Amino acid sequence: MKTRILTGITTTGTPHLGNYAGAIRPAIVASREANADSFYFLADYHALIKCDDPQRIQQSRLEIAATWLASGLDAERVTFYRQSDIPEIPELTWLLTCVAGKGLLNRAHAYKASVDKNVEKGEDPDAGITMGLFSYPVLMAADILMFNAHKVPVGRDQIQHVEMARDIGQRFNHLFGNGKELFTAPEALIEESVATLPGLDGRKMSKSYDNTIPLFGSAKQLKSTIARIVTDSRLPGEPKDPDDSHLFTLYQAFATPAQLAEFRAQLLDGLAWGEAKQRLFELLDNELSGARERYHALMARPGDLEDILQAGAAKARKVATPFLGELREAVGLRNFR
Ligand code: TYM
């Protein structure tokens, strides 16, 4: 049997190194395995939860589509689509909303973090929290369960959501499966060394912390962003501790074992931070420069991207439409004839 692999990226910002190392690169590698059947998409309904700037969303959809293809995704081999082109997904979201426990969703990290922030500020716990944010994990469960994904390549911050999808799917199976597994139990696929790529300040690289390294900025921009990586105050010649340096963690995510061993030895030997940043720049620029050129060529051809995504949506709906029909029947929404 083929292994169904599925993952998505929220279209709210410019793709960064964390998205690439945590999700895009492992997903593309996994899609090349002989028995892989991959579904990769732009999570543009998820974007509406965090962003009310239509232009930003539209631009980000384009950038993320171009990023996947420039990074080596073969749109013929995988099913590549926009979430918002699959009407079966919001319909399934409702079916799942009716079985998802409110208590389960109360425990979701993103929602809890917003409540905690409000409480800290002495505000109403639910101030400014939309139903979209609260039920975000149900929409994500629909993304995953719609295609019965076995493996979901994600960074560590998404593990809880994949586990929730599993719980919601199993509850649905129990209630409506009649002994049959309607939904497969998905598993997060985590690449340990890059599961949480740090940003410029050492916290998780994230659009919301404004500490990202954009994936396809120019070489000049890449260099100046790397120059902003926070390091300790050890002087040139003083030994540096690689295990206490997020610059080293970033290097590690892209280096071969031999390059990494050499860099570690050089840091221990007192390599200056300025020199270390130059090494990181060279490593990243070498990995990204080919893809950067492809990215800019793709961004100049939005019509071609549209064609690719529409073909992907048609492929995805070939799976989604009949399966949703089965699910509608299972819950008691059957044709009278
Ligand atoms: P999003 O858009 O925040 O991030 C996309 C992917 O990038 C990973 N990632 C990271 N990995 C390592 N280090 C980091 N610093 C880092 N920052 C981000 C994320 O873990 C994620 O894998 N809800 C999801 C999108 C989504 C989805 C899905 C994913 C919607 N439906 C179904 C998988 C399956 C999100 O907001 O990811």
Side-chain angles (χ1 to χ4, degrees), residues 6-10 16 18-19 22-23 41 43 46 50 136 140 143-144 152-155 157-158 194-197 204-205 207:
L6 175 143
T7 200
I9 303 213
T10 304
H16 57 73
N19 301 138
F41 66 97
H46 275 100
K50 301 188 200 161
Y136 174 114
M140 184 153 157
D143 292 331
I144 297 171
V152 185
V154 281
D157 60 342
Q158 298 295 324
V194 289
T196 309
L197 200 73
K204 180 187 98 163
M205 187 177 291
K207 298 162 209 171

Side-chain angles (χ1 to χ4, degrees), residues 9-260:
I9 303 213
T10 304
T11 56
T12 41
T14 298
H16 57 73
L17 227 50
N19 301 138
Y20 178 74
I24 297 175
R25 187 176 57 183
I28 291 178
V29 170
S31 75
R32 292 181 179 145
E33 303 249 324
N35 71 340
D37 179 20
S38 312
F39 285 67
Y40 299 152
F41 66 97
L42 314 183
D44 49 1
Y45 277 142
H46 275 100
L48 301 180
I49 296 169
K50 301 188 200 161
C51 177
D52 57 9
D53 175 353
Q55 257 174 338
R56 183 77 283 254
I57 300 224
Q58 182 69 346
Q59 177 66 15
S60 177
R61 291 160 97 220
L62 202 60
E63 289 177 358
I64 293 176
T67 295
W68 273 108
L69 296 167
S71 302
L73 183 83
D74 178 352
E76 297 282 319
R77 187 180 169 90
V78 312
T79 303
F80 180 50
Y81 56 97
R82 280 179 297 228
Q83 187 184 33
S84 66
D85 285 335
I86 317 294
E88 289 80 5
I89 289 178
E91 187 169 346
L92 176 58
T93 302
W94 182 249
L95 301 189
L96 299 178
T97 299
C98 295
V99 305
K102 177 168 180 288
L104 179 76
L105 297 177
N106 283 342
R107 291 195 288 277
H109 298 320
Y111 166 69
K112 264 179 46 183
S114 299
V115 169
D116 290 349
K117 225 190 252 168
N118 283 337
V119 170
E120 248 172 56
K121 287 195 282 183
E123 286 180 8
D124 180 303
D126 281 330
I129 298 180
T130 62
M131 283 307 295
L133 175 66
F134 183 67
S135 46
Y136 174 114
V138 189
L139 176 57
M140 184 153 157
D143 292 331
I144 297 171
L145 299 174
M146 182 85 259
F147 298 103
N148 274 322
H150 301 105
K151 304 263 179 214
V152 185
V154 281
R156 187 168 284 127
D157 60 342
Q158 298 295 324
I159 295 179
Q160 186 195 35
H161 294 147
V162 179
E163 284 168 355
M164 286 186 169
R166 203 186 166 93
D167 283 359
I168 296 170
Q170 279 172 349
R171 179 153 168 79
F172 195 97
N173 283 345
H174 176 70
L175 289 170
F176 302 115
N178 241 332
K180 194 175 147 202
E181 281 252 302
L182 288 164
F183 292 126
T184 307
E187 248 179 64
L189 185 69
I190 306 281
E191 207 172 292
E192 272 312 316
S193 65
V194 289
T196 309
L197 200 73
L200 302 177
D201 55 0
R203 290 184 294 172
K204 180 187 98 163
M205 187 177 291
S206 164
K207 298 162 209 171
S208 30
Y209 295 147
D210 197 19
N211 66 356
T212 63
I213 302 180
L215 194 51
F216 295 134
S218 64
K220 201 168 152 215
Q221 281 162 344
L222 180 63
K223 199 170 195 160
S224 62
T225 312
I226 289 175
R228 288 168 39 222
I229 294 177
V230 179
T231 50
D232 65 25
S233 55
R234 274 166 233 229
L235 297 169
E238 280 186 72
K240 319 285 185 299
D241 179 2
D243 299 315
D244 189 30
S245 155
H246 54 280
L247 192 150
F248 183 76
T249 313
L250 284 162
Y251 194 92
Q252 182 174 30
F254 296 90
T256 62
Q259 285 172 318
L260 192 66

